[in-house]
Amino acid sequence: MRIRHIAVFGVAVLVGALAGSLVGPRPAEAVARELIELQHDVTSLLQGQKDLSTQVTQDHTVMKTLVEQSSDNVNKLSATMGSLQKSVQDVQANSGARLDTMSTQVQGLSDNLEEIKSRLGKLNQQLVDLQNSVQSLDAKISGGGAPAPAAGAANPVGSGSGKPIASAGSSPGSSVLPAGAPSADTLYSNGLRDITSGKYDLARSEFQDYLKYYADTDLASNAQFYLGEIAFSQKTFAVAVAEYEKVLTNYPKSFKLAPARLKKGMALIELGQKPAGVRELREVVKRYPGTEEDRRARAKLKELGVALTPTR
């Protein structure tokens, strides 16, 4: 449209110049020279307009490409942020369950170590008994009479408990087990294996049998604790509270007291009994300072927004 206007303007200028030459007395050569110059100016204007139009078109194309690229980048970034946000939400949703599973596995490893230590203690006592028996036989053979038994040989004890060790074929307090009853070591080892691999129903049955046949052994409190862990993992929190309470009540010297009280408090909170749960967590902080249970209890209290000690 603008090119058309310029053309019209050029024609008007030529017409005006021609009219002026007709009216005035100017020489023909001067008029012709001016017409040529005007024609040249009009041509230059038209070419400039054409160049400007071409440049504007190119700039528009470049700007359109940049805008499209920017839009694509924004869409990709938005999709990435959405995926990242979903990942964060998934991690937050699963972090509690993962921590509980890891805690159970760590407890299982710890109990495996305790079981190994207990077995080493039993083997050591058996070696002492064997040595005493050899000495006794040697004395009889030599005719010197039987020597006095070494301390602890008549009543071997487990490591650190002071209670008689239950043999594989007899339960504490009874001389004969029911036919086909598995040994204490077999039940406990199988229970640990199954709870760490997530076979909770099978592990529950094995730990229940352990408590049924070997309730007075060193690892009975551990078996009771793991019944609470199984219930907690299966989100039957009322059952978990009852199982943890049995550890606290029936085994006052167990090294599972701190984790049992911690998990009892967390189970109460899951049941919506926040005041009771907070009391248990504060007891953990009070009774077991510096332990892993103390750290976890403090973190949970902070998460709940309550003080470490009750305010008056």
Side-chain angles (χ1 to χ4, degrees):
M1 193 71 180
R2 294 182 61 186
I3 296 174
R4 183 178 178 183
H5 290 166
I6 292 173
V8 172
F9 173 74
V11 172
V13 171
L14 288 174
V15 171
L18 181 60
S21 64
L22 293 176
V23 174
R26 303 182 64 183
E29 293 181 0
V31 171
R33 188 168 51 254
E34 290 181 1
L35 287 174
I36 293 171
E37 291 177 353
L38 286 172
Q39 187 178 11
H40 181 268
D41 292 341
V42 170
T43 302
S44 298
L45 287 172
L46 291 174
Q47 185 62 41
Q49 177 65 25
K50 183 178 179 181
D51 294 341
L52 179 61
S53 176
T54 301
Q55 185 64 41
V56 169
T57 301
Q58 292 176 349
D59 291 344
H60 179 266
T61 302
V62 172
M63 289 296 295
K64 182 179 179 181
T65 301
L66 292 174
V67 169
E68 290 175 351
Q69 291 176 348
S70 299
S71 178
D72 290 341
N73 290 334
V74 169
N75 291 335
K76 291 178 181 178
L77 181 59
S78 177
T80 302
M81 290 297 295
S83 177
L84 180 60
Q85 184 178 10
K86 185 178 184 302
S87 298
V88 170
Q89 291 173 346
D90 291 342
V91 169
Q92 289 176 342
N94 295 330
S95 60
R98 290 178 180 176
L99 285 174
D100 289 336
T101 301
M102 290 177 63
S103 175
T104 300
Q105 292 174 346
V106 170
Q107 290 288 348
L109 292 175
S110 175
D111 286 350
N112 276 327
L113 179 59
E114 291 297 324
E115 182 186 8
I116 291 172
K117 289 167 63 178
S118 177
R119 290 181 179 180
L120 287 175
K122 295 175 184 179
L123 289 174
N124 182 61
Q125 186 61 54
Q126 290 172 2
L127 287 175
V128 172
D129 294 342
L130 180 60
Q131 184 179 9
N132 290 333
S133 298
V134 171
Q135 290 175 353
S136 177
L137 289 173
D138 183 65
K140 289 180 179 181
I141 292 172
S142 63
N155 184 26
V157 296
S159 57
S161 70
K163 295 181 180 180
I165 299 173
S167 65
S170 62
S171 66
S174 64
S175 58
V176 179
L177 284 175
S183 69
D185 289 343
T186 299
L187 278 175
Y188 191 82
S189 297
N190 290 347
L192 282 180
R193 179 199 63 206
D194 292 330
I195 193 174
T196 54
S197 61
K199 299 176 181 177
Y200 295 129
D201 293 335
L202 183 57
R204 181 193 299 109
S205 176
E206 288 160 342
F207 285 127
Q208 287 174 341
D209 285 345
Y210 187 95
L211 292 173
K212 179 180 179 181
Y213 299 133
Y214 309 104
D216 294 331
T217 57
D218 296 337
L219 299 176
S221 64
N222 295 19
Q224 181 61 60
F225 173 78
Y226 280 115
L227 290 177
E229 291 290 87
I230 292 169
F232 194 99
S233 298
Q234 294 183 324
K235 300 187 184 303
T236 53
F237 298 112
V239 176
V241 169
E243 300 291 5
Y244 292 133
E245 181 60 32
K246 290 178 183 177
V247 178
L248 301 174
T249 303
N250 299 339
Y251 306 96
K253 295 183 179 181
S254 171
F255 71 94
K256 291 295 187 184
L257 294 180
R261 192 173 293 278
L262 172 71
K263 296 302 289 288
K264 177 186 175 184
M266 291 186 172
L268 287 168
I269 291 170
E270 292 290 342
L271 288 170
Q273 302 177 28
K274 181 177 177 180
V278 168
R279 283 197 300 271
E280 294 294 339
L281 296 180
R282 285 171 172 167
E283 280 296 309
V284 173
V285 173
K286 178 181 178 181
R287 296 188 183 199
Y288 312 104
T291 61
E292 174 65 16
E293 289 75 21
D294 171 38
R295 184 192 65 79
R296 293 183 62 187
R298 289 172 180 268
K300 188 63 176 180
L301 290 171
K302 182 178 180 180
E303 177 187 331
L304 295 173
V306 299
L308 294 177
T309 57
T311 56
R312 297 181 178 179

